[in-house]
Amino acid sequence: MIGVRRRVVGMVAVLAVTPLALTGCGPLDGIVGQGAEPTPTPDEGPQRARERVQAYLDAMKAKSVADGREQLCEPLRESFDQAATGPNGDFAKHFSVTAATITDVRANGADQDVSTSITVKATGGKAVPTKVLFTVARAGGQWCIAKEAVGGHTPAPSGSPTPAT
């Protein structure tokens, strides 16, 4: 009888936390998540940030809106959906990305700033280089692009550690 009662109590406890774990808000978040990445090590932030931004740059070159959207944090996706293919959007039909390079990755608190140099050519126009700074954050158990702005950091001299800002 005691064994049956313990099993019932155990089952109730598991069922009580399962909805929280499935939404990524509970004590089982690391075990049962929505594709959550493993707990980050202190040195993997730059690598994960570089991977996300490179995937976004590749999506821009290929004009793959879906692949670009996938790299963004959830709060940015709605505005991305409205602007991505608009007149000034990253995936506008009259723009082509002829070159895109990551020039610098550095910590910005818990986030990572990824500086890029992107060459964009408008239909019938000249290719114009521009600098874009992406902020990559860890949200919902995954690294994602949280912000995009014109500008960027000057690359650190080779052989020296990347400074934190």
Side-chain angles (χ1 to χ4, degrees):
M1 185 71 166
I2 292 175
V4 172
R5 181 174 281 166
R6 283 186 185 157
R7 279 185 272 169
V8 170
V9 169
M11 188 63 116
V12 169
V14 169
L15 292 174
V17 297
T18 299
L20 293 176
L22 293 176
T23 62
C25 299
L28 300 177
D29 187 30
I31 300 169
V32 183
Q34 297 176 353
E37 296 171 354
T39 303
T41 62
D43 297 329
E44 83 171 7
Q47 174 191 346
R48 297 292 183 154
R50 181 179 288 277
E51 290 169 358
R52 284 296 181 163
V53 171
Q54 187 61 56
Y56 189 82
L57 297 176
D58 292 345
M60 285 175 60
K61 284 182 181 179
K63 294 282 190 205
S64 176
V65 176
D67 289 344
R69 184 181 196 279
E70 188 176 309
Q71 307 313 313
L72 302 176
C73 295
E74 190 63 38
L76 290 181
R77 290 182 179 179
E78 186 176 331
S79 62
F80 174 82
D81 291 344
Q82 295 172 3
T85 58
N88 295 316
D90 289 349
F91 295 82
K93 288 183 181 180
H94 61 280
F95 290 138
S96 62
V97 175
T98 58
T101 306
I102 294 173
T103 59
D104 186 65
V105 180
R106 63 179 71 183
N108 181 3
D111 301 335
Q112 297 289 322
D113 282 346
V114 181
S115 299
T116 62
S117 176
I118 301 172
T119 303
V120 179
K121 183 177 180 185
T123 304
K126 292 175 71 175
V128 178
T130 187
K131 292 182 179 185
V132 178
L133 178 66
F134 293 92
T135 301
V136 180
R138 190 161 167 87
Q142 297 204 8
W143 290 94
C144 55
I145 297 173
K147 184 178 175 186
E148 175 184 343
V150 175
H153 299 294
T154 303
S158 66
S160 66
T162 304
T165 55

